Structure formats: C-alpha cells, structure tokens
Amino acid sequence: MVSQIQPPTQPELIYPDSDGQPVANNTIQFGWIVEIKQNIEWLFADDPNVFVTGDLFWYPVEGRNKIVNAPDVMVVLGRPKGVGVARRRHRLCYQQWKEQGVAPQVVFEILSPSNTQTEMDKKLLFYDRYGVEEYYIYDPDRNNLHGWLRDEDGLDVIPQMEDWVSPRLKIRFTLSPEGLQLYRPDGERFLTYTEISRNAEQERQRAEQERQRAELAEQARRDAIPRLLQMNLSIEQIAQALGLSVEEVRTLAQE
C-alpha cells in the first residue's frame, strides 16, 4: 500500500490588533480624536450602516499583514456599526476582505509633535493606494488644516479648506484663532464631551422643572374644584374654567 503524503499545513496568518503604542501622544491630540469620532458617531447614530472608529488597525489586503495602518478616525459608509440584540459588532481590526471589500471613505489624522514628515508622507501614500476618498490632517499646535479629495487620478489636494464641506459626511470645516471648528449639516457645531454632558444636565434640569410646574398646576386645579362647587358652579362651568373635560372634573370631585 502506498501512503499518500499530505502537504504541510500552512500556519494561520495573524493580523495583530495592537502595536503596543498609545492611542495619542498627548491630551490635545486625544481630545480632538475623541471629539471628531464621537460627533460623527452621533451624526450617523440612526444609520445602522455607518461604522465610525478610532485607532483601529485597517488591513486592506488579505494575506498581507504587514500592509496596515491605524487612522486616528475613520468612517466606513455601507458597513454595519453593530449586529444582534445588543446592536454591537466587535471588531478587533478592520479586515477589508471580510467587509465586502469596502475601504474607509473618510480618514482623519491629528498631528502630534512626534509625527514626522516621512511618516505622514507614507500615510498619504497608503490612503491614496487603498481607496480613501477624503483625507484630512489637523495640526492643533499650529492650527493648520489640510485635506485631500479623490478624483480620477487619486487623492488630490483641496486648495481651500476654509468653509470646505465634506462630500461624504456633509460636515463643514472652519478655522478660527481658537482652532478648528466642525459643523453638522444642520449648522450645529461639533461639541466636546464636556459640553455635551453640560447640555444634557441642563436639559434634565429643564425637564424636571417642567414636571414640577405641571404637578403644581394639576394640584391647583384639584384644589380649585371643591371651592368652585361650593360657589354653586356647575360641573360644566368648572370644566370650562379649568380647561378640563366634564368627566375629568367629575372624577376629581369624587376623590
């Protein structure tokens, strides 16, 4: 009997999800990454097929785990943000061949003092080669903003970024002495997490005050019904005076 020699099995290729480096080099860079990511997430919160992430390894080519980049923020339109009951899809990295071949359309990079020109040139080449449609770089230390937009020849420089509107996201970019400002399609400014938390707390307080006013008004109507009945007003007259239905007045009068 001749035994058949089995070909050696190839080890499974590993696609690392971390390089051991921090997400950001300083608090300024981290703050901008969080603000841009969260505001774009909120902008597309009701669309299940927009995936927004930050500092996630993106592998564009199957079998080539050395071809990788981790944009500070990337937006993938047409891919689910979550599946299942919890609406959460956990991705350790973005393997493009497992995402129907969809490349991130919009990428943001926030510069830190440690970024070199060679490093940023390599990133531009990577994003150009692997299909990014819009690429934005912001340098918070110098308050400089640069952008590239894909045309038939690849990524090309956007000559004027002031009041530029992203074709994909519809957000508007402006620069002021205080720094970069981003605006939603409805004209509302992107907010920091602190501003959003403060607004939410103010809204909670307004809602609580409105609830208390409604309770006081309801109690005042209840207290008025016995007095108006003692004044020999009819149920119909009381209902009209208090803005209630006749049935409501009868029910309250019996309590």
Side-chain angles (χ1 to χ4, degrees):
M1 177 183 295
V2 179
S3 60
Q4 188 174 10
I5 299 176
Q6 298 294 328
T9 58
Q10 295 294 326
E12 182 181 358
L13 192 61
I14 302 299
Y15 296 90
D17 54 41
S18 174
D19 58 4
Q21 298 299 313
V23 174
N25 295 108
N26 55 60
T27 56
I28 296 175
Q29 185 191 25
F30 182 74
W32 278 106
I33 292 171
V34 171
E35 179 177 334
I36 292 172
K37 174 185 176 292
Q38 288 188 333
N39 278 272
I40 295 176
E41 280 184 323
W42 291 323
L43 181 61
F44 292 100
D46 296 329
D47 190 334
N49 290 310
V50 177
F51 175 54
V52 184
T53 187
D55 196 48
L56 186 73
F57 274 18
W58 163 28
Y59 293 95
V61 183
E62 185 175 8
R64 304 287 300 277
N65 63 0
K66 301 299 183 183
I67 300 177
V68 60
N69 222 312
D72 285 337
V73 179
M74 70 181 190
V75 183
V76 192
L77 296 99
R79 296 306 299 150
K81 59 168 55 76
V83 295
V85 176
R87 305 303 299 166
R88 305 293 291 180
R89 175 173 175 157
H90 185 53
R91 291 175 172 92
L92 294 176
C93 57
Y94 190 85
Q95 299 178 24
Q96 190 171 319
W97 59 95
K98 293 183 178 180
E99 306 282 354
Q100 298 184 355
V102 179
Q105 293 94 349
V106 185
V107 164
F108 294 82
E109 294 285 357
I110 308 300
L111 292 186
S112 68
S114 66
N115 291 127
T116 65
Q117 187 60 52
T118 298
E119 176 188 1
M120 300 314 296
D121 288 344
K122 288 182 177 179
K123 285 179 180 286
L124 176 58
L125 180 62
F126 182 98
Y127 298 144
D128 186 24
R129 180 174 294 167
Y130 295 111
V132 170
E133 298 177 14
E134 302 176 37
Y135 176 33
Y136 303 104
I137 296 178
Y138 179 57
D139 182 349
D141 287 338
R142 296 178 175 84
N143 195 24
N144 288 334
L145 175 66
H146 301 282
W148 289 261
L149 181 68
R150 182 168 294 277
D151 60 18
E152 58 185 12
D153 297 319
L155 287 175
D156 197 8
V157 173
I158 300 170
Q160 176 56 258
M161 284 301 300
E162 181 63 27
D163 281 330
W164 170 259
V165 176
S166 160
R168 279 290 196 169
L169 307 181
K170 309 304 179 187
I171 62 176
R172 182 168 61 89
F173 298 74
T174 69
L175 279 172
S176 70
E178 290 73 33
L180 174 65
Q181 297 288 345
L182 295 171
Y183 293 87
R184 296 164 49 96
D186 61 7
E188 291 295 322
R189 179 175 61 85
F190 274 25
L191 301 176
T192 65
Y193 181 79
T194 300
E195 290 172 323
I196 292 167
S197 298
R198 185 184 300 118
N199 291 347
E201 176 60 21
Q202 291 173 348
E203 183 59 33
R204 187 196 66 79
Q205 292 177 356
R206 282 195 294 269
E208 176 62 19
Q209 291 170 355
E210 182 59 34
R211 184 190 65 80
Q212 292 177 357
R213 282 195 294 268
E215 288 182 352
L216 290 173
E218 176 66 19
Q219 188 60 49
R221 285 195 294 267
R222 290 172 180 270
D223 295 341
I225 290 173
R227 294 197 298 272
L228 294 174
L229 287 172
Q230 291 175 0
M231 297 171 60
N232 295 322
L233 270 69
S234 68
I235 295 292
E236 291 75 10
Q237 289 173 321
I238 295 174
Q240 184 176 7
L242 299 179
L244 300 172
S245 68
V246 171
E247 188 58 37
E248 285 176 318
V249 174
R250 288 199 178 102
T251 300
L252 292 172
Q254 293 172 359
E255 290 182 355

